[in-house]
Amino acid sequence: MANVVVVGAQWGDEGKGKIVDWLSERADVIVRFQGGHNAGHTLVIDGKVYKLHALPSGVVRGGKLSVIGNGVVLDPWHLLEEIETLRGQGVAITPETLMIAENTPLILPFHGELDRAREAQARTGKIGTTGRGIGPAYEDKVGRRVIRVADLGDARTLELRVDRALVHHNALRQGLGLGPIDRAGLIAALQKIAPEILKYAAPAWKVLNEKRKSGRRILFEGAQGALLDIDFGTYPYVTSSNVIAGQAATGSGIGPGAIDFVLGIVKAYTTRVGEGPFPTELHDGDGQRLGERGHEFGTTTGRKRRCGWFDAVLVRQSCAISGVNGIALTKLDVLDGFERLKICVGYELDGERLDHLPTAADQQARCTPVYEEMEGWRESTEGARRWADLPAAAIKYVRRVEELIECPVAMLSTSPEREDTILVTDPFAD
């Protein structure tokens, strides 16, 4: 049976939550493989809105196993709050429906404190972090001083892990003007929360491989977008993990050969939250119109998103790096009513034409977009579920996007409602 990876192909906020929910109905297992609770997915099901941050989107679907993989960094207190919120909305979450990989690193309170202190004192440019401790937790993982889910099961191991982390963090905190960490308080807080977290813990890699062998369909859900990838994004204005499709394997413990289809989620225009280069950003009425019509505010932070025209150069780049087989083009309806539309087809840098975004930050900042203009459409595409429901100009726009990014459209989304989707290619087809 086919296994599908869903990744964002822009700067995040592409509408992955709806697409994952749409696909999860046909999947048996849904796996979150990277990121933290800085990512927000909004699902609208039968008019009811669910906002997810740490939990996989599949938890709102009954009869599915949702897995938080080892590539995620997990705030255990936030997770339990999120579980309680969803239970209040009638969603049943149990150890039978939710699994946490035993080797998942934990975000602790001092990670968030460090994150916010650094951003507040940044003298060389802010990164635009959400201040939730995601980056410092990944740093501790690489530095081999993080506390993992399995460590909660043994008091002696937990104390050793805490002591190792505190040697590093107390020195950092002193330099930032923060007081030392309360060791006893931290250990007590972790011991108190341990039973609630450990009941979901399991060797996820083993379970996933067994599910695969038994023919179960697995859906791998990414957070953020490829342009925020720690290696291939607009560094240093990126997230702290690998976001591209290859991370689905290492972030869950299943081999890359298990991946049959990579679906890239792409918005019909471009948005970005926070700092960093954005070649097609608009500061005029068109940009304001895109933001208002698209309700462009962050699910997690509420921050207003920067808006601009579709950047085919960046999406083509993202599709190549993630090995995308097809894209889900979302929010096409936001473009309704524009007399003219623009698509970025290249960049100019110091008089030279480029077909990709350069790696050097100073060059990225100097890139100016080369636009191709297209006719817009006045008819509404909102709620369209068939190609025949779309205006001719909208179909022409979609086809031109396919040509420019060198990747076919597999799905087309025309509203936040899950049923307002045109299926072109079934990612789960065998």
Side-chain angles (χ1 to χ4, degrees):
M1 307 297 281
N3 299 317
V4 177
V5 176
V6 175
V7 293
Q10 293 162 306
W11 277 294
D13 309 310
E14 302 96 347
K16 292 183 293 296
K18 170 193 168 172
I19 301 299
V20 169
D21 175 61
W22 196 93
L23 292 169
S24 68
E25 193 168 47
R26 301 190 58 206
D28 302 297
V29 183
I30 297 91
V31 183
R32 174 84 185 273
F33 61 83
Q34 55 78 218
H37 62 301
N38 52 344
H41 288 175
T42 300
L43 309 181
V44 182
I45 303 172
D46 297 328
K48 198 169 187 177
V49 179
Y50 302 91
K51 294 184 183 292
L52 305 178
H53 304 277
L55 289 166
S57 297
V59 296
V60 299
R61 293 284 161 195
K64 313 290 182 182
L65 173 63
S66 290
V67 178
I68 295 176
N70 58 277
V72 172
V73 285
L74 181 66
D75 182 325
W77 294 276
H78 175 89
L79 176 69
L80 295 182
E81 289 176 5
E82 193 169 320
I83 289 173
E84 285 306 309
T85 297
L86 288 176
R87 282 177 178 159
Q89 293 183 279
V91 179
I93 299 176
T94 68
E96 286 68 45
T97 60
L98 176 65
M99 177 186 299
I100 305 173
E102 294 173 320
N103 52 338
T104 300
L106 298 179
I107 302 171
L108 302 182
F110 58 75
H111 288 129
E113 292 170 5
L114 176 59
D115 208 357
R116 294 185 292 273
R118 281 174 169 171
E119 192 77 350
Q121 297 186 19
R123 297 182 179 86
T124 56
K126 295 182 182 297
I127 299 298
T129 173
T130 57
R132 298 191 170 212
I134 314 299
Y138 274 116
E139 289 177 40
D140 279 0
K141 176 182 179 178
V142 176
R144 293 164 290 185
R145 55 180 171 265
V146 80
I147 295 166
R148 305 196 295 181
V149 168
D151 298 330
L152 298 175
D154 180 74
R156 179 59 181 155
T157 299
L158 181 60
E159 290 183 10
L160 289 171
R161 297 286 188 270
V162 168
D163 287 341
R164 180 174 175 81
L166 264 54
V167 168
H168 174 81
H169 279 274
N170 279 335
L172 277 180
R173 292 168 70 88
Q174 185 175 8
L176 289 167
L178 300 174
I181 296 165
D182 178 1
R183 177 184 183 275
L186 175 60
I187 292 173
L190 287 168
Q191 289 175 334
K192 181 179 179 180
I193 205 172
E196 288 299 310
I197 297 298
L198 288 171
K199 68 183 181 182
Y200 299 108
W205 68 269
K206 185 174 184 295
V207 174
L208 289 174
N209 278 279
E210 289 170 350
K211 295 286 186 183
R212 181 201 174 200
K213 289 177 183 176
S214 65
R216 297 294 187 269
R217 285 174 167 164
I218 305 174
L219 181 62
F220 298 89
E221 173 187 9
Q224 289 100 22
L227 297 173
L228 294 174
D229 185 272
I230 187 68
D231 287 308
F232 295 101
T234 48
Y235 191 91
Y237 304 100
V238 293
T239 193
S240 302
S241 61
N242 286 113
V243 180
I244 59 176
Q247 177 65 18
T250 54
S252 65
I254 199 164
I259 298 170
D260 300 297
F261 194 98
V262 177
L263 182 68
I265 315 301
V266 179
K267 200 175 285 186
Y269 50 102
T270 311
T271 62
R272 176 166 201 171
V273 172
E275 309 298 324
F278 186 171
T280 66
E281 183 175 10
L282 296 171
H283 301 282
D284 58 10
D286 287 337
Q288 183 176 351
R289 184 176 178 184
L290 288 171
E292 291 173 352
R293 294 207 59 195
H295 306 290
E296 296 298 349
F297 296 90
T299 302
T300 300
T301 63
R303 288 187 292 180
K304 184 178 179 181
R305 297 181 186 130
R306 300 153 64 189
C307 298
W309 296 119
F310 185 82
D311 192 328
V313 180
L314 288 179
V315 174
R316 182 173 62 242
Q317 201 163 315
S318 296
C319 287
I321 292 167
S322 271
V324 172
N325 301 104
I327 68 165
L329 190 66
T330 66
K331 291 198 169 186
L332 182 68
D333 54 300
V334 174
L335 299 182
D336 292 353
F338 279 90
E339 185 174 337
R340 303 291 296 176
L341 300 170
K342 292 183 180 181
I343 299 177
C344 176
V345 297
Y347 303 125
E348 282 191 1
L349 174 63
D350 302 334
E352 181 183 357
R353 177 76 175 259
L354 299 180
D355 63 356
H356 68 284
L357 187 69
T359 300
D362 66 306
Q363 293 180 358
Q364 290 179 353
R366 297 202 310 277
C367 281
T368 58
V370 176
Y371 285 120
E372 178 179 294
E373 285 201 28
M374 296 189 68
E375 181 184 354
W377 55 90
R378 296 202 174 278
E379 306 94 323
S380 174
T381 63
E382 185 174 0
R385 300 182 182 180
R386 303 176 304 157
W387 281 110
D389 297 332
L390 296 176
I395 295 175
K396 187 176 180 181
Y397 181 85
V398 173
R399 294 307 186 201
R400 185 57 179 150
V401 164
E402 289 180 311
E403 292 174 357
L404 290 169
I405 67 173
E406 300 174 2
C407 190
V409 169
M411 301 172 68
L412 192 63
S413 172
T414 56
S415 93
E417 292 291 340
R418 70 187 302 273
E419 298 303 328
D420 293 339
T421 305
I422 300 172
L423 180 63
V424 182
T425 301
D426 185 356
F428 274 124
D430 298 335

